């Protein structure tokens, strides 16, 4: 039985926070510009414009490093109230097209347009309309990808950034996938990528030569996912109105970390990525922090602390307690922030650091 064909759009603003700043102050357009917390606060870059990217700066990079790469970088701490306002305008445009909108952050969303009859049902024309409306009403450019699945729509929106429009129609899915590098697949991070590389697998065409059995032996449960993604299968629905309860990032290590001392240095890059994710969500109020550790025997332990703000020091303390529960080599560490429920946000907020 073939499932009904879906039309999914992934819409993503181009360097959103920087774009809002450049819109409001044209003097910033041609110079390297980044939004992020200061180096003194051990901040990371949340967004930067294209002139800054030419210096090798990218989001989640420590601000101190960005300033070494480009000493004349214009660094702004960011006006998140203003970004949230523009975000609300853009999300409203999405909702004019379909009620099936799943926001991923302030500047990014999936839209399920399978049932939309406007534009003769053409996803390409819908994507064009979104781009035009967004630009004319907010002055911000969008990149949009259209595809039959979420993971392909997301890859497509990134394909011709900035101001991109990439459509992967159902008949082009196979062609597109065969040449696709495996590290573009949803969930394939550096560790999986390195192991695939060691197996001589660089593209989805090569990935398809591995049997489901092989993949499960090599990657556990994720092996099944790899098997499906390489064939364009991704049945995740666009999920509407889900209140985000936490924001987290995690890393599976290419080699297990033997002890607590070797785990500690891994926290810094994780905390930097978490900080960038929090920034992408406009710094929602945080009610506590959580750490997750998976040991070499695949047992998982999580530890939560209410009332702590996300900082490397807090995670360090939690990590030590979590590790002490098993005292085994570690294959994965995750750090997260628990978000204050929307209903409580007006009553209490914690400072971020
Ligand atoms: Mg974006």
């Amino acid at each position: 039985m073939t499932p009904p064909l879906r039309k999914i759009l992934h819409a993503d603003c181009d360097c959103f926070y920087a774009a809002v700043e450049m819109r409001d102050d044209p003097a910033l357009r041609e110079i390297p510009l980044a939004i992020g917390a200061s180096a003194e606060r051990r901040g990371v870059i949340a967004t930067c414009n294209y002139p800054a990217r030419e210096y090798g700066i990218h989001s989640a990079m420590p601000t101190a490093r960005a300033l070494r790469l480009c000493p004349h970088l214009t660094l702004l701490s960011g006006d998140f109230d203003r970004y949230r306002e523009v975000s609300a305008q853009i999300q409203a445009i999405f909702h004019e097209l379909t009620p099936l909108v799943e926001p991923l952050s302030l500047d990014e969303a999936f839209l399920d347009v399978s049932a939309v009859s406007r534009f003769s049902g053409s996803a390409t024309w819908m994507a064009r309309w979104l781009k035009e409306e967004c630009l004319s009403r907010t002055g911000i450019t969008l990149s949009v990808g259209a595809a039959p699945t979420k993971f392909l729509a997301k890859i497509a929106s990134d394909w011709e950034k900035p101001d991109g429009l990439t459509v992967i129609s159902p008949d082009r899915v196979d062609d597109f996938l065969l040449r696709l590098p495996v590290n573009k697949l949803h969930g394939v991070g550096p560790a999986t990528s390195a192991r695939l590389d060691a197996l001589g697998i660089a593209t989805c065409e090569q990935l398809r030569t591995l049997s489901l059995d092989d993949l499960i032996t090599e990657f556990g449960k994720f092996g099944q996912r790899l098997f499906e993604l390489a064939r364009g299968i991704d049945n995740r629905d666009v999920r509407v109105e889900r209140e985000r309860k936490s924001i987290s990032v995690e890393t599976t290590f290419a080699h297990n970390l033997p002890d607590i001392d070797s785990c500690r240095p891994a926290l810094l890059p994780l905390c930097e990525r978490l900080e960038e994710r929090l920034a992408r969500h406009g710094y929602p109020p945080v009610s506590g922090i959580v750490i997750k550790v998976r040991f070499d025997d695949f047992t998982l332990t999580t530890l939560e602390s209410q009332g702590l703000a996300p900082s490397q020091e807090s995670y360090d303390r939690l990590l030590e307690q979590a590790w002490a529960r098993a005292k085994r080599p570690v294959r994965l560490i995750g750090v997260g922030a628990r978000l204050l429920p929307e209903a409580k946000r007006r009553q209490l907020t914690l400072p971020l650091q």
Side-chain angles (χ1 to χ4, degrees), residues 136-265:
S136 69
R137 293 195 222 170
T138 71
I140 301 295
T141 61
L142 267 184
S143 289
V144 183
T149 58
K150 280 170 108 174
F151 92 98
L152 282 172
K154 191 162 163 79
I155 293 170
S157 73
D158 196 46
W159 209 246
E160 293 171 89
K161 245 180 182 303
D163 201 13
L165 169 55
T166 302
V167 178
I168 307 174
S169 53
D171 58 320
R172 278 190 57 222
V173 165
D174 242 16
D175 238 22
F176 183 88
L177 273 174
L178 291 178
R179 282 170 292 136
L180 189 72
V182 282
N183 60 10
K184 293 270 186 192
L185 293 178
H186 183 249
V188 175
T192 309
S193 200
R195 280 163 72 195
L196 286 168
D197 193 57
L199 296 168
I201 307 287
T203 65
C204 286
E205 183 169 25
Q206 293 165 329
L207 185 54
R208 286 191 192 179
T209 64
L210 298 184
S211 70
L212 181 57
D213 256 7
D214 292 343
L215 282 166
I216 288 174
T217 309
E218 188 72 27
F219 298 101
K221 224 170 84 188
F222 188 60
Q224 162 126 32
R225 182 92 179 123
L226 282 173
F227 183 87
E228 292 171 352
L229 291 179
R231 287 157 183 80
I233 300 165
D234 176 15
N235 294 322
R236 291 175 304 153
D237 287 322
V238 168
R239 292 164 66 189
V240 185
E241 283 190 70
R242 165 175 57 128
E243 187 184 339
R244 194 175 286 277
K245 297 195 171 76
S246 65
I247 291 174
S248 59
V249 296
E250 61 180 47
T251 298
T252 303
F253 304 108
H255 303 285
N256 293 342
L257 305 178
D259 51 30
I260 180 70
D261 287 335
S262 54
C263 286
R264 286 211 165 94

Side-chain angles (χ1 to χ4, degrees), residues 11-16 47 53 105 107-108 161 280:
D12 185 12
C13 300
D14 302 320
C15 48
F16 181 51
T47 319
R53 288 180 201 196
S105 65
D107 76 315
E108 207 185 318
K161 245 180 182 303
R280 279 162 56 86

Side-chain angles (χ1 to χ4, degrees), residues 89-100:
Q89 282 178 285
I90 294 170
Q91 300 281 346
I93 299 170
F94 297 163
H95 280 273
E96 286 179 30
L97 192 57
T98 173
L100 301 179

Side-chain angles (χ1 to χ4, degrees), residues 21-31:
E21 298 295 345
M22 292 190 292
R23 177 195 74 176
D24 296 348
D25 181 0
L28 297 170
R29 277 184 199 158
E30 307 300 327
I31 60 172

